[in-house]
Amino acid sequence: RDVKNLPAMHVLGISWFTDSMKEGKPVAVETRHLIEVCGNLGDLCPAWWPERISLTHLCDALEVLAESYEFKEIPGRCLAFRRASSVLKSLPWAVRCLRDTEGLPCLGEHSKAVMEEILQSGHSFEVEKTLSDEKYQTLKLFTSVFGVGPKTAEKWYRGGLRSFSDVLAAPGIHLNRMQQSGFLHYGDISRAVSKAEARALGNLIDEAVRAVTPDAVLALTGGFRRYRGKEFGHDVDFIVTTREPGKEEKLLTGIIERLKQQGLLLYCEYNASTFDMVKLPSHQFEAMDHFAKCFLIVRLEGGRVEGGLHGAEGDGRGWRAVRVDLVSPPMDRYAFALLGWTGSRQFERDLRRFARAERRMLLDNHTLYDKTKFLAATTEKDIFAHLGLEYIEPWQRNA
Ligand code: DCT
Ligand code: MG
């Protein structure tokens, strides 16, 4: 594209290279030299480039930096990298050079510099340095345990702990119940959950729900509601409610009791509802919602899963542990809870920001508040309409 702007010597270099590529001749040219010549390999041979640097590659790099700033508790920078990664994720075109991202929002100077380095050389010095940093590696390992957040991980790291065996052997460490289960089922719950497994869990929860209240409403939410392709999740999220006002909390405890009786409950943390319309709207931006909910680890039998358990070849147990979240809003809050729990987190954040900045409204998992009144909604479409936005399907909310 920009060949005409290059000095003659370089143009010669390019035509020799492209001709050789067309003829299928192997070309032994140092990447470094080619970059000097062309500035970008993608421009030179677009057909060959996308296999080397995909959008996923760029997003992963930005996510590493986001995570490292999350560990360092610098939320602004963390968010900037997450935003940049989200914007790239939603692009319908390939990015071969920085020019392909011109005019896009949310790409800060730092993110652009990282992307440019990767697009030109295949690597980012900062990302590689982060990945090989002992503290980053240790915090990443510790926070991969269910129940261990950045603060606990940091505390363990400061105490000189570097591995799971260090943690488990350390005399002064008290693991709470959630962390104990996190270690106990670590192998299973750090393994991705397949769509077939999510479906099997849906059936299992559905049976439990029907046994408690035949007219209950159960909906799959979270990542599995957004995915269309072969994506995997880290847990399975459901919303469950009933048309009988005030009975939704009983429904949730009923489901838990039934799963327990069936011997399927490996862990359960139940949070009772603290939902109170009187205390709304909330001006807290990122607060957790107030609905009754539970964080579970459920035993899933391989026989219930179409095509069998994912990645369990040869372990011989015939079951696996899966993380499941159930949230139970009152029926008139269902649409808000569904929209909020469908995610992605970044999408939710942006939608709330849009509501506030562009519409002067407050949106959260409970309500949509317009200056003086709460707006009613029975479906997600109602909420989009109140916001003056075109409805978008869950699979379009992945960024
Ligand atoms: N959510 C929320 N409030 C919380 C936790 C989550 O509103 N306290 C929303 C944001 C995303 C959605 O619920 C599901 O959360 P996750 O299960 O963490 O993410 P996911 O998108 O389902 O992705 P995965 O589970 O595959 O990591
Ligand atoms: Mg999820």
Side-chain angles (χ1 to χ4, degrees):
R1 257 186 298 203
D2 283 342
V3 159
K4 59 182 186 307
N5 298 327
L6 291 166
M9 192 184 75
H10 289 166
V11 175
L12 282 178
I14 291 172
S15 59
W16 167 80
F17 179 81
T18 45
D19 287 348
S20 309
M21 290 288 283
K22 272 186 223 147
E23 289 163 23
K25 283 187 202 153
V27 270
V29 181
E30 260 195 62
T31 318
R32 187 172 45 80
H33 176 65
L34 271 172
I35 290 161
E36 276 166 24
V37 174
C38 324
N40 188 301
L41 286 171
D43 281 355
L44 197 65
C45 196
W48 168 71
W49 185 249
E51 288 174 32
R52 281 207 49 208
I53 309 281
S54 61
L55 274 180
T56 320
H57 187 122
L58 292 171
C59 292
D60 289 349
L62 296 170
E63 295 279 349
V64 166
L65 297 181
E67 196 169 34
S68 114
Y69 284 111
E70 187 173 16
F71 292 156
K72 287 177 190 156
E73 292 186 76
I74 309 180
R77 287 197 166 197
C78 168
L79 198 56
F81 284 116
R82 289 248 149 85
R83 283 228 170 90
S85 163
S86 279
V87 165
L88 290 189
K89 231 181 262 174
S90 64
L91 287 186
W93 63 78
V95 172
R96 298 197 185 105
C97 62
L98 218 50
R99 271 198 316 263
D100 295 341
T101 66
E102 249 168 40
L104 291 177
C106 305
L107 294 182
E109 289 310 312
H110 199 160
S111 295
K112 279 190 192 161
V114 171
M115 285 162 59
E116 178 143 47
E117 202 187 342
I118 296 176
L119 288 164
Q120 293 197 345
S121 69
H123 303 277
S124 150
F125 176 75
E126 192 181 357
V127 172
E128 290 191 359
K129 194 167 144 235
T130 305
L131 286 171
S132 59
D133 177 60
E134 189 192 31
K135 182 165 180 183
Y136 171 84
Q137 287 175 357
T138 312
L139 296 193
K140 176 119 183 125
L141 177 75
F142 290 167
T143 53
S144 71
V145 180
F146 175 52
V148 180
K151 286 207 164 60
T152 306
E154 172 83 29
K155 199 170 73 192
W156 290 352
Y157 181 84
R158 286 210 186 144
L161 311 178
R162 296 291 180 268
S163 64
F164 288 165
S165 40
D166 287 352
V167 173
L168 297 173
I173 300 273
H174 169 75
L175 298 178
N176 63 30
R177 227 167 44 83
M178 193 184 248
Q179 294 160 347
Q180 285 173 23
S181 301
F183 276 111
L184 188 62
H185 301 291
Y186 184 78
D188 274 0
I189 60 184
S190 53
R191 207 167 76 214
V193 180
S194 70
K195 269 196 160 174
E197 289 169 340
R199 216 173 299 124
L201 272 159
N203 295 336
L204 200 131
I205 303 291
D206 191 58
E207 282 165 27
V209 170
R210 303 287 147 222
V212 181
T213 314
D215 80 335
V217 176
L218 174 70
L220 179 65
T221 177
F224 282 105
R225 183 164 177 245
R226 302 193 309 269
Y227 302 151
R228 289 205 303 180
K230 273 194 186 158
E231 292 94 335
F232 292 88
H234 100 278
D235 68 359
V236 195
D237 309 287
F238 296 97
I239 294 192
V240 53
T241 187
T242 159
R243 294 179 204 284
E244 279 183 84
K247 292 281 166 64
E248 62 281 346
E249 213 168 346
K250 261 226 165 73
L251 171 61
L252 193 56
T253 48
I255 297 166
I256 294 171
E257 204 41 53
R258 185 174 158 97
L259 294 174
K260 211 178 270 173
Q261 280 165 10
Q262 290 174 301
L264 299 177
L265 219 48
L266 301 170
Y267 173 81
C268 172
E269 185 193 309
Y270 174 73
N271 288 358
S273 167
T274 53
F275 174 70
D276 184 353
M277 254 337 244
V278 175
K279 291 187 191 144
L280 296 173
S282 161
H283 292 263
Q284 264 178 306
F285 205 48
E286 296 277 342
M288 166 81 107
D289 66 55
H290 293 283
F291 303 128
K293 58 176 75 66
C294 58
F295 309 105
L296 312 176
I297 300 178
V298 173
R299 179 185 163 113
L300 178 64
E301 300 293 335
R304 298 188 70 109
V305 183
E306 197 187 327
L309 292 169
H310 160 67
E313 296 82 9
D315 86 357
R317 274 180 309 161
W319 64 274
R320 69 166 289 183
V322 185
R323 275 270 304 111
V324 174
D325 289 342
L326 304 180
V327 56
S328 194
M331 195 63 205
D332 65 341
R333 302 293 111 207
Y334 174 81
F336 298 101
L338 182 64
L339 178 62
W341 275 80
T342 298
S344 69
R345 278 167 202 266
Q346 198 60 48
F347 174 81
E348 299 301 333
R349 205 175 275 138
D350 282 345
L351 196 63
R352 280 166 210 194
R353 204 162 47 122
F354 174 86
R356 195 153 67 165
E358 305 292 328
R359 301 287 186 249
R360 306 274 171 243
M361 293 182 187
L362 285 170
L363 172 68
D364 61 17
N365 286 8
H366 316 98
T367 57
L368 178 61
Y369 185 74
D370 184 10
K371 294 172 202 88
T372 53
K373 60 183 185 301
F374 292 105
L375 302 177
T378 47
T379 64
E380 286 180 320
K381 285 191 175 137
D382 295 342
I383 305 172
F384 279 83
H386 285 316
L387 291 169
L389 288 173
E390 195 184 318
Y391 176 74
I392 66 165
E393 299 289 345
W395 61 265
Q396 294 169 307
R397 307 179 204 164
N398 276 307

